[in-house]
Amino acid sequence: MNDMHVLIEQMTSDISGQAIRLDDLRLRLFLNWLSAHGSKIKTITKSDGQPGKRIEFQSDGRMDECLKNGLRPWLESLPMQGLLWEYHIILNEIAWWRDLDPRRLAMILRSEAGK
């Protein structure tokens, strides 16, 4: 395994480990954000220059592996600077959902229900 693969494996483990500690509601909202965020990234391409896969998650009871498997191809498609940038953005987003005040969470849920 080369250094880049080792780095990506560590990143996906860190992200997954922190994300699965969120309660179910916050995890679902984070995954919604992550899916939307990943689909907006214009630089996601395969090595042949074709558009890369969109991040998709399924709740089949193996959230840890599912999250890692969803993140891995996306992170592998990024240049080093983009990889580090996205890693920090994702960890900050997890921390935001974790630390979100319950009243603000309720406000977000009410606004989402009104859409």
Side-chain angles (χ1 to χ4, degrees):
M1 208 182 257
N2 69 29
D3 291 343
M4 185 66 116
H5 284 103
V6 171
L7 177 62
I8 289 171
E9 287 303 313
Q10 184 61 51
M11 288 177 164
T12 59
S13 291
D14 289 347
I15 292 167
S16 177
Q18 289 190 35
I20 62 174
R21 286 189 213 119
L22 294 171
D23 64 55
D24 289 343
L25 176 59
R26 292 168 195 258
L27 177 60
R28 180 177 57 83
L29 293 168
F30 164 71
L31 292 175
N32 288 345
W33 171 86
L34 184 59
S35 184
H37 175 72
S39 70
K40 291 179 182 176
I41 307 278
K42 302 291 188 221
T43 59
I44 298 176
T45 57
K46 296 180 193 172
S47 59
D48 62 2
Q50 297 300 311
K53 283 183 154 178
R54 189 169 168 241
I55 299 174
E56 294 183 20
F57 302 98
Q58 302 163 6
S59 57
D60 61 358
R62 298 181 344 241
M63 182 53 68
D64 182 56
E65 279 307 309
C66 186
L67 185 55
K68 287 178 188 176
N69 290 337
L71 287 168
R72 198 173 290 117
W74 179 52
L75 294 175
E76 288 172 347
S77 71
L78 298 171
M80 180 57 80
Q81 184 176 0
L83 174 65
L84 297 173
W85 180 258
E86 290 300 331
Y87 175 67
H88 288 286
I89 288 173
I90 293 168
L91 291 180
N92 286 336
E93 186 71 15
I94 292 169
W96 188 86
W97 284 109
R98 182 191 61 234
D99 298 338
L100 183 64
D101 179 87
R103 291 177 312 204
R104 288 204 174 227
L105 179 59
M107 288 172 44
I108 291 170
L109 293 172
R110 281 193 300 272
S111 73
E112 289 293 315
K115 288 184 178 179

